[in-house]
């Protein structure tokens, strides 16, 4: 790194980094990734911040061990005090799950009771999660603005990222927040494995919203290898042996099915390679048929990733030996790469969420889209996509309207707008389904959602 490199924050490092949602199952993996890249992203201090100190205290010793295996000098702080967490911080990685896994379980199980897709970020489950997360995300931004370095960046993984991004755009348009998702990089990992090349050798073009988009090209040495990918997908979906081997979570039955489902999606629309999450919108009936209403992905995660990590933490406490309890993978690597590019103006090309501003010519200027962008010290510079075909434009516009209505419902406390959002979602067949699911969700989310008021009761304006 040379002296002329522009830094986004007030220092070129070592940085103070806070992780909001410190008790997350992903924290040890992200910190491991930070340690591996310490020479490129120097750190003075790592702070874990969580509103659930009990949960965070279980994870913290594992995180401390990961740090100490690599560095004696990095200060490590664990706190539930915003002032302690954010004072002078240069970067904040956000990964909050508002309502934790017990509410994820509700998000997935309530729609399934009504015969509708039950998923963490897609369909009614994602909308419910959005209603829980927008305001806590804004609160986090305000805390960071109050205490942190004035040029601090928040790099946000907290889901549902598309809705969070739109909420932040509406409520805190000037905040230095970059919303990211690891699904495209996970798909790129599989694409590279299929093509037999290194992940860094693949450059993709992509357009859409978060968890709602398509890869249009996959270039290797300037040659578009999409034709080869189509042939592989026609037989196997986007599944590779490598994915399961290098990412244990992706050996879980639900992920294997998800990668396989790229095959029917591309059989019908072979032009572009869909984000795996398109399965929920384009083949919801098959998804519901194969979902167990009593045992959803939340249960799989609690019985898998969470249990394994908590057991390893308990064993470490007892024996001082830390087993192989967590996974680094693309998730940890991606957020660190993005932060490095922000910190040192590296202008690396990554798929991130940005305000459209004409990048996709025939979508609204202010839509929060997911496209390739150069990550500079001043934030993302979106790469022009141009016009997209009518079919994709139509699908995206419907989803965008759904997500924007959900944000408006949250801000205005509007029952009608929430019902409109639920009705507009492609996974929801009728307005009656939308209402029944919404009403059940209002009850289940009474500790989390803003109060939704009806503008009309029995036909009378309130
Ligand atoms: N964008 C992506 O592609 C991507 C990828 C993976 C995970 N995620 C998201 O990362 C988050 C963490 O996932 P997980 O499965 O590890 O969940 P988790 O429940 O293990 O961890 C989330 C933590 O956030 C904490 N939290 C909740 N509300 C908070 C608040 N207001 N302030 C501070 N902390 C708060 C919880 O107490 C919990 O410890 C989720 O939002 C998940 O959806 C996003
Ligand atoms: O069901 P979960 O909690 O295991 O995962 C939900 C998340 O799925 C995506 O992230 C994957 C990523 O694709 C994969 O490569 C690896 O890093 O694991 C991640 C978690 O499984 C998705 O992008 C996230 O938004 C979801 O939260
Ligand atoms: Mn994601």
């Amino acid at each position: 790194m040379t002296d002329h490199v522009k830094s986004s924050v007030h220092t070129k490092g070592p940085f103070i980094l806070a992780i909001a949602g410190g008790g997350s199952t992903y924290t040890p993996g992200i910190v491991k990734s930070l340690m591996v890249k310490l020479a490129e992203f120097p750190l003075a201090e790592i702070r874990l911040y969580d509103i659930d100190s009990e949960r965070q205290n279980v994870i913290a010793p594992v995180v401390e061990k990961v740090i100490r295996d690599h560095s004696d000098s990095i200060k490590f702080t664990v706190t539930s005090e915003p002032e302690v967490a954010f004072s002078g911080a240069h970067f904040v990685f956000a990964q909050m799950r508002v309502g934790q896994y017990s509410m994820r379980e509700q998000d997935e199980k309530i729609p399934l009771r009504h015969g509708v897709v039950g998923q963490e970020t897609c369909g009614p489950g994602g909308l419910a999660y959005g209603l829980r997360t927008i305001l806590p995300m804004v609160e986090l931004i305000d805390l960071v603005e109050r205490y942190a370095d004035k040029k601090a960046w928040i790099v946000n993984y907290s889901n549902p990222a598309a809705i969070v991004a739109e909420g932040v755009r509406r409520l805190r348009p000037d905040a230095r927040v970059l919303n990211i998702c690891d699904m495209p990089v996970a798909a790129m990992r599989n694409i590279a494995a299929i093509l037999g090349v290194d992940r860094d050798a693949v450059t993709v073009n992509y357009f859409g919203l978060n968890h709602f988009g398509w890869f249009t090209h996959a270039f290797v040495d300037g040659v578009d290898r999409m034709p080869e990918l189509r042939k592989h997908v026609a037989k196997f979906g986007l599944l590779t042996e490598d994915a399961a081997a290098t990412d244990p979570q992706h050996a879980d039955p639900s992920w294997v099915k998800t990668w396989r489902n790229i095959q029917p999606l591309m059989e019908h629309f072979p032009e572009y390679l869909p984000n795996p999450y398109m399965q929920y919108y384009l083949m919801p009936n098959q998804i519901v048929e194969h979902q167990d209403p009593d045992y959803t992905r939340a249960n799989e995660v609690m019985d898998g990733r969470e249990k394994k990590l908590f057991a390893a933490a308990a064993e470490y406490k007892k024996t001082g030996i830390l087993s192989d309890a967590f996974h680094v993978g693309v998730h940890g690597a991606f957020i660190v790469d993005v932060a490095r590019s922000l910190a040192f103006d590296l202008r690396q090309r990554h798929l991130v969420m940005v305000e459209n501003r004409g990048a996709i010519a025939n979508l609204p200027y202010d839509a929060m889209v997911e496209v390739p962008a150069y990550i500079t010290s001043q934030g993302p510079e979106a790469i022009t996509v141009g016009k997209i075909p009518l079919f994709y434009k139509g699908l995206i516009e419907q989803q965008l309207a759904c997500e924007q209505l959900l944000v408006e419902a949250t801000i205005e406390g509007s029952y009608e707008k929430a019902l409109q959002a639920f009705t507009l979602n492609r996974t929801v067949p009728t307005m009656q389904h939308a209402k029944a699911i919404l009403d059940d969700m209002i009850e289940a989310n009474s500790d989390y959602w803003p109060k939704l008021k009806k503008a009309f009761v029995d036909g009378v304006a309130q």
Side-chain angles (χ1 to χ4, degrees):
M1 205 183 325
T2 53
D3 275 351
H4 69 269
V5 171
K6 283 178 283 170
S7 171
S8 66
V9 288
H10 286 123
T11 170
K12 289 177 196 156
F15 302 112
I16 299 172
L17 168 82
I19 300 181
S24 158
T25 52
Y26 289 100
T27 305
I30 288 178
V31 171
K32 174 78 187 190
S33 190
L34 285 164
M35 292 302 106
V36 170
K37 297 186 188 202
L38 208 47
E40 299 135 77
F41 190 69
L43 289 168
E45 184 173 357
I46 295 178
R47 299 175 185 161
L48 302 190
Y49 167 75
D50 205 294
I51 53 170
D52 182 343
S53 56
E54 201 181 315
R55 182 181 176 89
Q56 182 166 251
N57 286 338
V58 174
I59 308 282
V62 174
V63 175
E64 185 162 27
K65 161 87 175 131
V66 172
I67 296 172
R68 292 294 161 246
D69 281 350
H70 292 80
S71 162
D72 288 330
S73 62
I74 295 174
K75 193 175 168 200
F76 180 55
T77 304
V78 182
T79 184
S80 288
E81 294 291 330
E83 188 171 355
V84 176
F86 303 127
S87 289
H90 304 107
F91 285 90
V92 177
F93 289 178
Q95 46 167 354
M96 305 176 301
R97 184 182 289 288
V98 179
Q100 302 184 325
Y101 290 130
S102 60
M103 288 311 297
R104 175 177 181 172
E105 197 179 356
Q106 295 296 314
D107 292 345
E108 294 169 350
K109 289 185 176 172
I110 292 172
L112 277 172
R113 285 210 296 269
H114 297 274
V116 170
V117 168
Q119 214 279 326
E120 176 200 22
T121 64
C122 301
L127 299 176
Y129 192 10
L131 263 154
R132 285 200 301 279
T133 309
I134 293 167
L135 299 180
M137 186 68 203
V138 168
E139 204 179 310
L140 176 75
I141 292 168
D142 291 348
L143 290 169
V144 172
E145 277 186 4
R146 185 179 321 156
Y147 296 119
D149 182 285
K150 288 301 156 225
K151 289 167 93 183
W153 274 100
I154 301 176
V155 188
N156 180 53
Y157 259 142
S158 311
N159 266 322
I163 290 171
V164 169
E166 172 63 9
V168 170
R169 184 189 74 79
R170 288 287 298 269
L171 293 169
R172 294 293 181 272
D174 299 325
R176 285 163 71 89
V177 180
L178 181 54
N179 296 287
I180 62 167
C181 167
D182 62 7
M183 196 71 257
V185 262
M188 284 164 70
R189 170 199 61 201
N190 291 15
I191 288 171
I194 291 165
L195 298 177
V197 299
D198 198 70
R199 190 163 68 83
D200 296 338
V202 183
T203 302
V204 295
N205 286 345
Y206 182 94
F207 66 79
L209 311 173
N210 178 235
H211 290 187
F212 202 102
W214 291 266
F215 293 90
T216 60
H217 304 81
F219 295 106
V220 179
D221 294 331
V223 178
D224 183 15
R225 306 278 292 268
M226 194 56 90
E228 234 170 299
L229 285 173
R230 281 190 197 99
K231 281 191 194 156
H232 177 98
V233 167
K235 282 194 186 150
F236 309 109
L238 202 63
L239 195 65
T240 61
E241 280 174 22
D242 189 61
T246 56
D247 186 342
Q249 260 164 245
H250 287 230
D252 284 349
S254 57
W255 272 109
V256 170
K257 261 187 222 157
T258 297
W259 292 118
R260 283 223 174 93
N261 276 342
I262 303 279
Q263 187 268 324
L265 292 168
M266 268 192 107
E267 188 184 322
H268 288 77
F269 308 109
E271 199 171 14
Y272 302 142
L273 196 152
N275 186 302
Y277 282 93
M278 291 312 300
Q279 66 174 345
Y280 298 110
Y281 299 101
L282 295 175
M283 40 194 295
N285 293 358
Q286 287 102 306
I287 296 291
V288 172
E289 252 172 57
H290 291 107
Q291 280 191 305
D292 178 347
D294 299 318
Y295 194 86
T296 59
R297 178 66 188 159
N299 302 109
E300 211 175 38
V301 171
M302 286 186 274
D303 290 345
R305 183 169 76 233
E306 188 188 45
K307 197 179 238 172
K308 191 175 159 198
L309 179 58
F310 277 39
E315 191 198 309
Y316 175 61
K317 200 173 161 190
K318 221 165 69 187
T319 65
I321 298 163
L322 182 61
S323 62
D324 178 20
F326 60 88
H327 175 62
V328 185
V330 293
H331 181 83
F334 182 48
I335 194 165
V336 181
D337 285 347
V338 167
R340 277 184 58 224
S341 202
L342 283 170
F344 301 120
D345 201 33
L346 300 181
R347 304 186 66 82
Q348 286 179 354
R349 181 184 167 123
H350 293 293
L351 296 188
V352 294
M353 281 156 255
V354 289
E355 191 172 11
N356 185 24
R357 299 184 188 174
I360 303 174
N362 50 349
L363 284 182
Y365 186 86
D366 63 359
M368 288 305 290
V369 295
E370 193 168 59
V371 290
Y374 296 115
I375 310 301
T376 82
S377 59
Q378 302 310 310
E381 266 175 26
I383 293 168
T384 304
V385 171
K387 279 192 173 178
I388 57 170
L390 190 56
F391 173 63
Y392 305 95
K393 177 175 178 280
L395 286 170
I396 289 172
E397 281 173 343
Q398 181 180 6
Q399 179 69 8
L400 179 64
C402 160
E403 290 172 354
Q404 289 183 332
L405 278 163
L406 195 278
V407 170
E408 290 183 9
T410 309
I411 297 171
E412 296 166 24
S414 163
Y415 177 89
E416 281 78 8
K417 285 197 172 174
L419 183 57
Q420 288 172 352
F422 276 59
T423 306
L424 254 187
N425 199 278
R426 267 190 70 83
T427 63
V428 179
T430 69
M431 64 182 179
Q432 286 90 354
H433 285 85
K435 185 177 177 347
I437 295 169
L438 175 61
D439 288 348
D440 283 0
M441 282 182 157
I442 287 174
E443 216 179 304
N445 282 278
S446 59
D447 291 343
Y448 297 99
W449 282 9
K451 188 148 182 55
L452 300 179
K453 288 182 223 78
K454 293 185 177 166
F456 294 91
V457 175
D458 298 330
V460 180
Q462 298 298 293

